Amino acid sequence: MPETPEIPRDRNRQTDTPPTPDPAPTGSAYEPAEVEEKWYRYWEAGGFFDAEPDAVLEGGKAPFVIPMPPPNVTGRLHMGHALQDTVQDLLVRFKRMQGFEALWIPGIDHAGIATQNVVERTLKKDGVDRKAIGREAFLEHVWAWKEEYGDIILQQKRRLGDSCDWRYERFTMDDGLSRAVQEVFVTLYEQGLVYRGDYLVNWDPDNQTVISNEEVDNVERPGSLWTVRYPVVDDEGNETGEAIQIATTRPETIPADTAVAVHPEDERFTALVGKRVKVPTTGRTVPIIADDAVKMDFGQGALKVTPGHSEVDFEIGKRHDLETLSIMNLDGTLNELAGAYAGLDRAEAKTRIVTDLAEAGLLVKTEDYTVTTPISSRSKAVIEPLLSPQWYVAMEPLAKKALAVVDDGTITFHPSRWANEYRRWLEDIRDWPISRQLWWGHRIPVWYPVDETGERDEENFVVSVDSPGEGYVQDEDVLDTWFSSWLWPFATLGWPGQTDALKAFYPGSVLVSGYDILFFWIARMIMAGTHFLDEVPYTDVFITGMIKDKQGRWMSKSLGNGIDPLDMIEQYGADAVRYTLGVLCAQGQDIKLDPAKFEGGRNFANKIWNASRVFGRFVERDDAGRPTEDLRRERGFGELELAERWLLTRLHDTVEAVTEALGAYRISEAAHLAYDFVWRDFCDWYLEVSKAPFGETPSRETLALSTEVFEQILQLLHPFMPFVTEELWWTLRPREAGDALVASSWPAPDPAETDAEAAQTFATVQDLVTAIRQVRAQYNVPPSQDVRALVGAGDAATAAAVEGAREYVERLAGLSDLTIGADLEKPSASAAVVVGAHVVYVPLEGMIDLDVERQRLQKEIDGKRGFLAGVEKKLQNEAFVSRAPEAVVAKERQKAEDAKAEITALEANLADLG
RNA sequence: GGGCUCUUAGCUCAGUUGGUUAGAGCGCAUCGUUGACAUCGAUGAGGUCACUGGUUCGAAUCCAGUAGAGCCCACCA
C-alpha cells in the first residue's frame, strides 16, 4: 500500500508574541513591504492555515476545501495565478472565518514536456546532450533541477498571502502520487478502459512525442492549394490519356497515396471508379474508389487518399481496406518509402515535389489558399498525423458519469454557461492518448517479456504496478501529465489509502480555474472523481476570465507585454494587488489589465491605514507600542448618537450584502460593497462627523464605537487585504497572543442594532450638507468663510429630526449659524435649494449674483417639471395604474408629490428674487 | 460549418430574477495646505445603454433580426 502522507495532527497555533505592529504610524503613507513579510511568517509558523481531519471527523466542523491548480514546476508566478489565487484565498479566508475547517491544498505539477525541455536546454548550454547521457542520468539532472528551482513559484505565492496548509503540499511525481497514477492505470486496464491502439496520432516532430487533441491548436495560415494530374492507366499499366485532377495542400504526402476517391454520386467520375491511376512521383498505381466523405464541390471533386498522413483518409482507408503507407520519420523527414525524397525534411520535400510535378507537366495550377494547420500548443511545431502505437483511455464510460453530475446539479458552474461548454466536449469525446515519448513523467506500468536476444514480445505484456520479475522490461514511455493531475483532488489526500484526510476533506468544495484548462483538467478531474471514488471532487466550479494586456492581447514573452505580479506587489503591495484583482474579477469576462489599476488598490489600503489613525492615535499604549486599554462600548444602541446608529445600520447591511455576494462568487460586487462602506460611509461621513474638534480628545464612547466598527471593517476586508488588516488589528486593543485577525470570526452585526429611521434621517442630513456645499461651490465661497443657512422643514416632526442633527450639518457644511424651523421667514438675497421636504436658504449677501441664481433656479425648475411630466403621464395611463403592482404605483405617486412640492418651493424663491 | 460571449460616460467596466431621474474607478474642470489621508477632500461636466423590430402598463435588462469585436469546437483535402 502507498504511504499515507504525513500530516501533523496537532494544530500548532503560535503562543509566542506576535510581531509588533507599528503602533503609532508617523508617516502619512502605508508601507506594505514592512508589514507583509512579518505577518506571513507569523501566520505560517503559527499554524493559522492548518486544517485538521479530526476537527471534521470528531469535532463536527464542516470542511471547506479548495484544491489549488498545481502550477508547473517550471513556472513563475504570472497574473493568471495572481488572479486565481486571490479568488481562492479570498474564499478560503472567508470560509475559515465563518467557522469552516478550511483547507487549501497546494502543490506542484511535474509538467512533462515543459520541464524536460527546460532541463534539456539548460544541459545543452553546458554541452551536455540528453540522448548521449541516457535516461537515468538525465532524470537525475531533472530531479536536481526540481530540487533547486521547484518551489520558487510556491514561495512567490506566499508573497501574495496564499493561506494554504503547506503541510499538505504535494508534487505530482512524489511517491504517493506516482503510486496512485500507476494503480489508476492498472485499474483502468483491468476494467477494459485502457487499451493499446495503432492509430493516427498528433505527432510533434520537435518534441518527438504524441500529444492529445486538446494540446493541438488549429491555426489558419496562408498557404497554397495545388491541383495535380493523376493519369488514369489501363490494366497493363499504360496511360489511357485520361486523368483525374486532384487538389491538395500537402503534395509532400503524395508518395503515400494509396487511392484516389470520388463521391459515389458524382457523375463526372462514375465511369472511372474501379480503374486505376498512377501516383505522381512514384510509379505506383492505385485504385479509384467512391466514398461519401468526398466533397463534390471542393477542388475538382476528387481526393487523394493518404491513410498514413491524414485522419479522414485513415477512416476512408479502413472502409475500403486500403494499405496505410507511412513515409515520414519521427523527426519529420521523409523515409525510404518516399523514394527520391527520402531524407528530406517535410517542408523541403514539399517544395521539391511541387517543382518536380511542374516539370513533369502534372501540376495543373497553384492557388493561394488559407490552410488550417495543426500546431503543438507547447512547441509550436506543425503537427504531423502519424501512425503510431499508443496507449489510450476509453473515455465514454467516464464521460457519462461526469455528465450526469453536472446534469443533476451535483456540480454547479459559475458562470453557468461553462457547463454548456463542458457538456459539448463530453458529449462528443474522443479517446485519450495517454502515452508520451518522453523521459520525465510517470513510467507506464506495462511490462514486456524479453528473450535471450533482447527481443521484446509486444503481444504478451503484463500490466502491473510492480515488475513481474526477471525477464521483463518496462514500457519506455511515460504518461501524459494530465494523467496524474486528474487525480489531484483525492491523490493529494492520500488516496488510494483510506486516510483521515481523505475522509474529512473529500469531496472538496470549490475549484477555481481559468477556462483554458476546462477540458484538459477540470472535466477530467470530475471523471476521475466520479469513476474512482464515486463522488465528485467538488461541488462548485468557478471559472475566472483570463488576464489580457491593456489592449486585450494575451500576455506573452514574445510580445513582452506581461505584467509581473511580483513587480506589482513590490510597487503597490500585495493587498493592493489582491484587492484590485478582486474588483476586476466580475462574472468570468476576460480582464484587460492596465498596471495603473493597482493604484486604486494601493489607495484603498492607504485609506484604511489612515482611517485607523483618526481614532487609533488616542488609544493608550505601552512602551512596546501595544494598546493597553480595551475600549468597549457601554451605551446601548438606543443611547447612541444618530450618526452612530446610522453607521451600525449601514455596517449590518453591508456585512449582510458582502456575505451574500461572496457566497455567490460575486467577488467584484463584494469588493465594491466593502469599499463603499469603508470609504464613503465610514471615512467620508462618520469619521468627519465624529472627529474631535481641533485640540480636543474624542470621548471614550466615541473611541469605543469607532474601534468596534473599525474592527469589523478589518474582518470584512481581511479576505481581500490580509496584511494591512492584520497589522491594524493589533493596534486597536490589547490581544492575547494567537488572537490574530486571520483566526477571528466573520463579522455578524446584531440585527437588533439597526435603525431604519435613523438611517433615513442621516440620509437627510447628508442631503442637506451636500446641498449647502453645492451652493458654496456654485458661488465660490471659500471654506474659510462661514455662512449661515436656514432649513425650512415641512413639519414640526422633521424639523425636530433635523434639529437633533444640527451639529453634523453645521460642522460638515461649514456653517456659522443654522436656523431650523417649520415656518421660516426667507432671507433676502439667498440661494435656495430643495432637499426632499426641506427648503434650504443660504444667505449670500454680497456674494450672490441675482441673475445667475435666477438662471440656476429656472434650470432646476425646468428639470423637475420635465421629470414631473413623465411621472404624471405614467400615472394618467390607465393601463399602468390598473396593471402595475400597487407598490410601484404608490411609489410613482410619491414621486409626483415630492416633485410638485419642490417645484412650488423653488418657484416661490424665484419670485422672491424679483 | 456549428456553438458561445461581448457592444452602457473620453478610457476600463458594474448593473442579481424587467419597475432609479442608468452607476463606479480612472481621466477631465473648478475650488481647497490649520492635526487621518494630496495615494486626499468638496463640487461639477459627461450616456437617445450598437442598430431595427417585437413582447409588456413598463425594456440597458426578455425575444427575433442586423452590424461590428472576440473566443471555443469541427475531417473540407
Side-chain angles (χ1 to χ4, degrees):
Chain A
M1 282 305 281
E3 291 291 306
T4 299
E6 277 300 314
I7 291 160
R9 306 198 62 96
D10 299 320
R11 198 187 296 273
N12 177 32
R13 288 270 160 90
Q14 179 157 321
T15 50
D16 298 345
T17 318
T20 313
D22 185 352
T26 48
S28 62
Y30 168 60
E31 298 292 342
E34 292 173 22
V35 310
E36 288 175 2
E37 203 199 327
K38 77 181 172 197
W39 287 114
Y40 196 88
R41 232 184 299 121
Y42 172 70
W43 291 330
E44 186 178 355
F48 289 103
F49 306 152
D50 294 358
E52 305 299 339
D54 286 352
V56 174
L57 299 177
E58 289 159 30
K61 281 182 86 180
F64 179 81
V65 185
I66 295 185
M68 172 193 286
N72 286 359
V73 63
T74 56
R76 291 294 179 272
L77 196 72
H78 57 59
M79 270 301 163
H81 296 125
L83 172 70
Q84 287 166 23
D85 282 23
T86 294
V87 173
Q88 291 171 82
D89 196 42
L90 196 71
L91 294 174
V92 167
R93 286 180 188 262
F94 168 57
K95 290 290 181 177
R96 186 181 291 127
M97 288 175 81
Q98 280 194 322
F100 287 83
E101 191 68 9
L103 171 62
W104 188 11
I105 312 170
I108 298 180
D109 194 284
H110 68 280
I113 301 182
T115 311
Q116 175 157 328
N117 284 347
V118 167
V119 176
E120 192 169 350
R121 245 177 288 143
T122 312
L123 289 175
K124 214 172 231 164
K125 275 186 203 144
D126 300 333
V128 180
D129 181 65
R130 168 170 73 96
K131 285 178 181 148
I133 60 173
R135 182 172 196 142
E136 212 166 306
F138 177 74
L139 286 179
E140 269 173 39
H141 277 109
V142 183
W143 277 107
W145 187 91
K146 189 259 167 191
E147 287 313 310
E148 192 169 350
Y149 303 107
D151 70 338
I152 287 180
I153 191 162
L154 296 184
Q155 294 303 334
Q156 292 175 325
K157 280 168 176 260
R158 287 171 165 91
R159 295 279 307 276
L160 203 59
D162 286 9
S163 66
C164 313
D165 188 341
W166 296 101
R167 302 170 306 167
Y168 288 76
E169 180 184 333
R170 300 297 297 276
F171 178 53
T172 50
M173 288 268 284
D174 67 24
D175 291 344
L177 261 101
S178 296
R179 189 79 187 181
V181 165
Q182 315 264 328
E183 294 209 1
V184 159
F185 184 96
V186 174
T187 304
L188 286 175
Y189 180 77
E190 286 165 357
Q191 292 171 341
L193 296 177
V194 151
Y195 63 94
R196 207 161 100 118
D198 206 0
Y199 305 107
L200 281 196
V201 298
N202 300 301
W203 186 260
D204 174 345
D206 279 15
N207 283 318
Q208 300 208 20
T209 179
V210 64
I211 60 176
S212 72
N213 247 0
E214 287 66 44
E215 292 167 289
V216 176
D217 296 330
N218 290 305
V219 182
E220 294 203 337
R221 290 182 168 182
S224 303
L225 183 67
W226 290 276
T227 303
V228 181
R229 278 167 54 92
Y230 281 52
V232 177
V233 295
D234 60 22
D235 293 344
E236 275 73 50
N238 300 316
E239 292 188 18
T240 63
E242 291 170 295
I244 285 191
Q245 295 192 0
I246 284 165
T248 178
T249 57
R250 302 212 57 198
E252 71 273 26
T253 64
I254 286 175
D257 290 351
T258 52
V260 160
V262 297
H263 196 276
E265 280 153 32
D266 194 336
E267 290 168 3
R268 291 174 293 179
F269 302 109
T270 314
L272 293 175
V273 173
K275 295 193 173 166
R276 298 179 77 82
V277 292
K278 194 191 266 181
V279 175
T281 76
T282 78
R284 286 187 300 108
T285 68
V286 297
I288 298 170
I289 58 175
D291 194 281
D292 287 345
V294 181
K295 303 259 189 309
M296 284 160 54
D297 54 356
F298 188 90
Q300 309 301 319
L303 171 71
K304 75 188 199 64
V305 182
T306 321
H309 297 280
S310 156
E311 203 153 326
V312 195
D313 295 8
F314 186 76
E315 294 303 319
I316 296 175
K318 272 205 289 196
R319 287 198 284 274
H320 297 268
D321 205 18
L322 298 174
E323 194 185 353
T324 299
L325 292 180
S326 205
I327 58 162
M328 213 170 285
N329 297 311
L330 298 182
D331 61 0
T333 59
L334 301 202
N335 65 23
E336 62 282 357
L337 287 178
Y341 306 100
L344 293 180
D345 181 73
R346 45 192 174 145
E348 218 179 323
K350 177 184 275 185
T351 319
R352 282 279 296 276
I353 287 179
V354 170
T355 313
D356 291 353
L357 287 173
E359 272 176 26
L362 294 172
L363 183 63
V364 180
K365 59 179 170 178
T366 307
E367 296 160 283
D368 287 342
Y369 188 73
T370 304
V371 186
T372 307
T373 312
I375 301 290
S376 161
S377 60
R378 189 151 294 283
S379 72
K380 306 299 173 198
V382 175
I383 291 304
E384 199 60 54
L386 276 187
L387 192 62
S388 167
Q390 303 287 342
W391 289 95
Y392 291 83
V393 178
M395 296 302 266
E396 221 184 286
L398 304 185
K400 268 196 183 128
K401 297 181 191 177
L403 269 170
V405 292
V406 170
D407 287 340
D408 70 13
T410 310
I411 293 180
T412 313
F413 278 79
H414 311 268
S416 59
R417 69 190 147 94
W418 292 109
N420 298 332
E421 287 282 298
Y422 174 90
R423 280 199 198 94
R424 207 167 43 73
W425 186 71
L426 285 176
E427 279 164 1
D428 193 25
I429 199 162
R430 304 191 196 184
D431 286 354
W432 177 16
I434 49 171
S435 40
R436 294 290 180 276
Q437 289 64 52
L438 304 170
W439 287 349
W440 177 241
H442 303 281
R443 196 84 176 257
I444 293 180
V446 171
W447 309 81
Y448 304 92
V450 281
D451 61 23
E452 317 73 51
T453 65
E455 189 73 16
R456 219 164 86 159
D457 180 351
E458 298 279 340
E459 303 301 321
N460 297 304
F461 54 78
V462 175
V463 176
S464 145
V465 172
D466 299 309
S467 168
E470 289 282 314
Y472 283 88
V473 292
Q474 189 170 8
D475 196 301
E476 291 296 314
D477 290 349
V478 300
L479 291 159
D480 182 7
T481 296
W482 300 103
F483 194 82
S484 54
S485 28
W486 75 328
L487 312 177
W488 190 247
F490 44 88
T492 47
L493 294 170
W495 186 89
Q498 290 302 306
T499 63
D500 284 350
L502 187 70
K503 284 179 207 146
F505 296 121
Y506 193 91
S509 311
V510 189
L511 184 88
V512 178
S513 171
Y515 54 79
D516 55 333
I517 50 174
L518 178 60
F519 306 143
F520 275 120
W521 191 49
I522 302 174
R524 286 175 184 155
M525 271 190 286
I526 297 173
M527 294 190 223
T530 49
H531 186 71
F532 297 111
L533 284 87
D534 234 1
E535 248 180 318
V536 295
Y538 29 74
T539 53
D540 290 76
V541 177
F542 181 76
I543 303 286
T544 66
M546 307 300 294
I547 302 260
K548 307 284 184 66
D549 76 359
K550 212 169 147 180
Q551 295 153 53
R553 302 171 303 182
W554 287 93
M555 289 185 180
S556 70
K557 274 185 203 144
S558 52
L559 275 174
N561 60 346
I563 301 171
D564 183 348
L566 294 171
D567 286 351
M568 296 300 109
I569 288 173
E570 212 125 293
Q571 210 172 324
Y572 300 105
D575 290 325
V577 169
R578 292 170 57 115
Y579 179 78
T580 303
L581 291 173
V583 165
L584 294 175
C585 183
Q587 291 309 305
Q589 293 298 323
D590 287 350
I591 295 168
K592 282 193 242 175
L593 186 65
D594 179 346
K597 289 201 170 159
F598 292 115
E599 284 173 18
R602 178 201 56 185
N603 295 354
F604 189 36
N606 191 54
K607 188 74 181 177
I608 299 159
W609 171 263
N610 276 299
S612 81
R613 302 202 304 154
V614 175
F615 55 91
R617 69 202 148 98
F618 297 107
V619 173
E620 286 175 24
R621 293 167 200 283
D622 63 16
D623 292 343
R626 299 186 172 286
T628 55
E629 199 182 15
D630 193 359
L631 287 165
R632 295 283 170 183
R633 167 156 55 110
E634 281 163 13
R635 293 168 302 173
F637 182 72
E639 300 167 79
L640 298 178
E641 286 187 30
L642 174 65
E644 296 172 329
R645 277 177 287 143
W646 163 77
L647 183 70
L648 287 175
T649 305
R650 284 284 301 129
L651 172 69
H652 172 271
D653 294 351
T654 301
V655 168
E656 204 167 63
V658 169
T659 307
E660 209 268 322
L662 285 181
Y665 305 100
R666 298 195 306 268
I667 312 291
S668 176
E669 187 187 326
H672 278 293
L673 286 165
Y675 179 97
D676 282 344
F677 176 69
V678 174
W679 201 311
R680 305 270 86 95
D681 295 336
F682 188 76
C683 293
D684 288 351
W685 290 97
Y686 171 75
L687 285 183
E688 291 304 325
V689 137
S690 64
K691 226 186 233 181
F694 179 75
E696 285 177 32
T697 303
S699 74
R700 299 180 54 77
E701 278 299 314
T702 299
L703 288 180
L705 189 100
S706 300
T707 303
E708 176 182 320
V709 173
F710 195 68
E711 200 162 44
Q712 294 184 66
I713 283 174
L714 295 180
Q715 290 172 318
L716 193 65
L717 290 175
H718 184 256
F720 289 95
M721 318 178 89
F723 296 106
V724 67
T725 51
E726 184 76 74
E727 170 81 359
L728 292 175
W729 175 257
W730 294 87
T731 68
L732 295 181
R733 48 174 113 244
R735 298 188 192 282
E736 298 297 316
D739 184 14
L741 175 59
V742 65
S744 76
S745 296
W746 187 246
D750 185 352
E753 297 208 326
T754 58
D755 181 345
E757 204 176 312
Q760 189 56 52
T761 305
F762 195 82
T764 302
V765 168
Q766 292 176 307
D767 290 344
L768 288 171
V769 169
T770 304
I772 297 166
R773 282 171 175 168
Q774 280 167 355
V775 172
R776 297 187 66 125
Q778 173 91 18
Y779 293 104
N780 279 328
V781 182
S784 52
Q785 183 168 350
D786 286 337
V787 298
R788 295 190 304 127
L790 295 88
V791 172
D795 57 73
T798 48
V802 176
E803 182 62 46
R806 154 185 300 281
E807 268 182 62
Y808 301 149
V809 181
E810 284 176 351
R811 183 181 306 169
L812 297 179
L815 299 178
S816 61
D817 183 56
L818 175 63
T819 308
I820 300 165
D823 194 17
L824 286 174
E825 197 171 317
K826 185 188 155 315
S828 59
S830 64
V833 200
V834 176
V835 178
H838 309 280
V839 191
V840 183
Y841 302 108
V842 184
L844 294 165
E845 197 77 54
M847 289 182 275
I848 188 169
D849 179 329
L850 291 181
D851 279 340
V852 173
E853 178 62 7
R854 259 194 294 269
Q855 274 172 29
R856 196 186 64 78
L857 279 176
Q858 193 58 55
K859 200 176 150 197
E860 183 108 12
I861 291 167
D862 291 347
K864 300 267 188 220
R865 278 203 178 123
F867 172 66
L868 179 62
V871 175
E872 283 185 328
K873 193 179 161 201
K874 219 186 238 185
L875 287 168
Q876 280 154 14
N877 182 348
E878 183 50 38
F880 171 72
V881 178
S882 60
R883 307 182 85 156
E886 187 50 40
V888 174
V889 177
K891 209 167 154 192
E892 291 299 315
R893 291 217 170 90
Q894 186 61 46
K895 279 188 204 165
E897 255 168 63
D898 291 350
K900 275 182 205 159
E902 287 172 15
I903 290 166
T904 307
L906 288 168
E907 278 176 338
N909 201 56
L910 185 62
D912 285 351
L913 288 177

